[in-house]
Amino acid sequence: MAGEIPRPPDKPRDYECCKRGCCPCIFDYYYDALERWEQRVEALGHDPKEVLKRFPSP
């Protein structure tokens, strides 16, 4: 077995963004975390898109 698959980061809900154009925005942090998660999942030998389907979205 290649290792335990980590949970993907939780995507912020639209209302969690203040819409003031912050840099970085809460969504910037999310997409950065998602990219790192995808790389980790690939390194474990899995397809991130397929793994993501196993986790319910809020």
Side-chain angles (χ1 to χ4, degrees):
M1 181 168 175
E4 187 174 332
I5 300 173
R7 268 190 76 70
D10 292 326
K11 185 174 183 178
R13 296 182 187 237
D14 287 339
Y15 67 82
E16 293 179 286
C17 174
C18 68
K19 311 275 192 266
R20 293 183 189 152
C22 301
C23 186
C25 174
I26 191 170
F27 284 99
D28 294 327
Y29 287 113
Y30 166 72
Y31 289 118
D32 287 345
L34 183 62
E35 184 177 329
R36 288 189 307 273
W37 175 84
E38 288 173 344
Q39 291 171 354
R40 177 69 180 138
V41 169
E42 286 175 349
L44 291 171
H46 300 280
D47 179 359
K49 289 182 174 94
E50 290 301 314
V51 173
L52 202 53
K53 291 177 186 178
R54 298 182 208 166
F55 292 92
S57 51

